[in-house]
């Protein structure tokens, strides 16, 4: 659904919720942005009628209780309104831990470049009487890193607008220019991908965001296309990327009784006085290092150097994002 149509549907819902009487199509056309037309022009009026019929069907498909009726027995044209008693949400009750989890999710998405969506979600919850504290962490600090192309591509998806960008593959020395109608941005195996219709090739394609060079520039007009509804973006990326062949090996030292996820993938485990030495297979250094970093101090990379250096680099990036606070100065004479 294009952004312009989405906004028109939202405005239509707001309009029909704000009144208790039935509004005719003509009254709605004068009130709701997106329905402007000249009722005396047969072509414009027919176009409005078709648009309005599609929007009514869309609202009913979404479960919006749209009623049809008349304000009085003298009215000859039917009107429309939304049954508020059926549309209203039930009271939302969250436990403190659940509200804190929502706060963490909102902070995570803010870091991921979706600040507007996170803010909108929190606003709706507060409007429903739910207190959500986005500063609560429960001892967890969400760290999400996305590629620079993430925000402009997700914005283009919402606007229904094509984009162009430079794209470099491992086999090519120079970046090639691509033109794409983006359908969505998804994460697969720790990587972000955009899926859409390649305008030059006339086929569905997906591109890894980390391989996009330079900026992402919008082309064409907003709302020029609508993404297909029957496409599974994750499935398309999975089929495009193919199976992962873990031909390389790494040795790590794991604290006894910790990091169960790593233990499940270990090809070999040897217990020792300082911890359990494990051998793991991997394919991509960056992706493998990002996975190991998630286990914190429970895992130490022994070899190879490329994995160890990549893990250290990622830990330094995290440390730079969260500088340590200066210790409080102890008053003189107070024992440690």
């Amino acid at each position: 659904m294009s952004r312009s149509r989405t906004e028109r549907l939202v405005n239509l819902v707001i309009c029909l919720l704000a009144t208790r009487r039935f509004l005719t199509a003509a009254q709605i056309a004068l009130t709701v942005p997106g329905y402007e037309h000249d009722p005396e022009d047969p072509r414009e009026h027919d176009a409005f009628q078709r648009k309005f019929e599609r929007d009514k069907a869309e609202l009913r498909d979404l479960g919006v209780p749209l009623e049809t009726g008349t304000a009085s027995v003298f009215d000859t044209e039917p009107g429309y309104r939304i049954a508020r008693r059926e549309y209203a949400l039930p009271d939302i009750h969250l436990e403190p831990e659940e509200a804190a989890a929502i706060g963490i999710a909102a902070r995570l998405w803010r870091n991921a470049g979706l600040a507007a969506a996170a803010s909108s979600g929190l606003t709706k919850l507060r409007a429903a009487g739910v207190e959500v504290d986005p500063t609560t962490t429960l001892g967890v600090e969400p760290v999400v890193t996305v590629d620079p192309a993430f925000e402009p591509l997700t914005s283009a998806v919402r606007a229904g607008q094509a984009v162009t960008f430079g794209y470099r593959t491992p086999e090519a020395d120079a970046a090639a220019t691509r033109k794409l109608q983006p359908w969505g941005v998804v994460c697969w195996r720790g990587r972000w991908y955009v899926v859409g219709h390649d305008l030059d090739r006339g086929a569905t394609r997906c591109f890894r965001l980390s391989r996009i060079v330079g900026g992402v520039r919008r082309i064409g007009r907003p709302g020029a296309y609508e993404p297909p509804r029957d496409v599974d973006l994750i499935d398309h990326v999975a089929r495009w990327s193919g199976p992962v062949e873990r031909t390389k090996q790494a040795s790590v030292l794991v604290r006894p009784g910790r990091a169960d996820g790593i233990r499940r993938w270990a090809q070999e485990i040897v217990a020792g006085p300082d911890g359990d030495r494990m051998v793991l297979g991997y394919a991509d250094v960056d992706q493998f290092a990002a996975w190991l970093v998630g286990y914190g101090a429970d895992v130490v990379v022994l070899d190879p150097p490329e994995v160890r250096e990549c893990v250290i680099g990622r830990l330094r990036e995290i440390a730079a994002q969260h500088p340590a606070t200066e210790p409080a100065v102890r008053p003189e004479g107070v024992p440690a």
Side-chain angles (χ1 to χ4, degrees):
M1 185 185 299
S2 67
R3 183 176 183 179
S4 59
R5 187 181 179 191
T6 300
E7 292 176 349
R8 188 175 67 244
L9 288 174
V10 171
N11 289 327
L12 177 58
V13 170
I14 293 173
C15 173
L16 297 180
L17 279 174
T19 180
R20 294 185 179 276
R21 65 187 183 90
F22 292 98
L23 298 179
T24 65
Q27 291 171 325
I28 291 172
L30 294 173
T31 307
V32 177
Y35 288 136
E36 299 89 347
H37 72 285
D38 182 2
E40 302 299 328
D41 187 325
R43 288 186 300 178
E44 289 192 17
H45 188 65
D46 288 344
F48 159 71
Q49 292 287 356
R50 291 193 299 271
K51 184 188 300 183
F52 185 51
E53 290 299 322
R54 288 196 303 268
D55 290 351
K56 287 192 300 180
E58 182 74 24
L59 290 182
R60 289 191 172 108
D61 290 342
L62 293 172
V64 177
L66 190 63
E67 293 183 328
T68 304
T70 57
S72 71
V73 294
F74 301 103
D75 292 338
T76 58
E77 184 180 353
Y80 307 90
R81 71 182 181 187
I82 291 176
R84 302 181 67 174
R85 62 187 179 280
E86 299 177 17
Y87 188 70
L89 289 173
D91 293 338
I92 301 175
H93 300 285
L94 296 179
E95 298 296 329
E97 294 81 3
E98 295 172 327
I102 292 175
I104 291 175
R107 295 177 63 195
L108 183 150
W109 283 113
R110 283 197 182 107
N111 293 336
L114 292 180
S119 177
S120 174
L122 292 178
T123 299
K124 292 176 182 177
L125 285 172
R126 292 192 180 101
V130 178
E131 277 302 318
V132 177
D133 182 6
T135 63
T136 304
T137 64
L138 292 179
V140 179
E141 182 63 32
V143 177
V144 176
T145 302
V146 294
D147 301 280
F150 181 91
E151 195 282 328
L153 284 173
T154 53
S155 297
V157 171
R158 292 193 296 270
Q161 191 169 5
V163 296
T164 181
F165 51 82
Y167 192 74
R168 179 180 288 119
T169 60
E171 300 82 15
D173 295 330
T177 300
R178 300 297 179 94
K179 296 178 182 178
L180 185 75
Q181 291 178 340
W183 297 342
V185 178
V186 295
C187 185
W188 171 251
R189 289 175 174 166
R191 302 284 190 181
W192 289 97
Y193 297 84
V194 59
V195 182
H197 178 71
D198 191 312
L199 294 174
D200 292 329
R201 291 157 180 78
T204 304
R205 291 289 188 271
C206 62
F207 301 93
R208 185 189 295 183
L209 267 60
S210 61
R211 292 178 179 169
I212 294 178
V213 296
V216 175
R217 183 171 59 88
R218 296 195 197 185
I219 56 176
R221 61 180 180 84
Y225 68 94
E226 290 192 14
R229 300 183 181 182
D230 57 347
V231 174
D232 187 331
L233 302 182
I234 289 289
D235 180 67
H236 185 83
V237 173
R239 286 187 284 107
W240 174 80
S241 60
V244 175
E245 296 184 5
R246 299 179 175 87
T247 58
K248 303 178 183 179
Q249 287 189 330
S251 297
V252 299
L253 189 66
V254 180
R255 286 182 178 177
R258 307 301 295 269
D260 290 337
I262 289 182
R263 294 176 183 275
R264 284 194 293 270
W265 286 98
Q267 300 173 354
E268 179 183 337
I269 300 178
V270 178
D274 299 327
D276 299 330
R277 185 186 181 100
M278 304 182 188
V279 176
L280 301 166
Y282 71 95
D284 183 86
V285 176
D286 291 334
Q287 184 177 350
F288 184 57
W291 179 57
L292 294 176
V293 166
Y295 290 94
D298 291 335
V299 177
V300 176
V301 179
L302 302 177
D303 60 75
E306 65 170 1
V307 176
R308 183 176 177 86
E309 292 170 4
C310 193
V311 167
I312 293 174
R314 284 183 169 270
L315 291 174
R316 284 174 176 166
E317 290 178 2
I318 296 174
Q321 295 176 12
H322 307 281
T325 56
E326 292 292 333
V329 177
R330 188 179 300 279
E332 203 172 317
V334 177

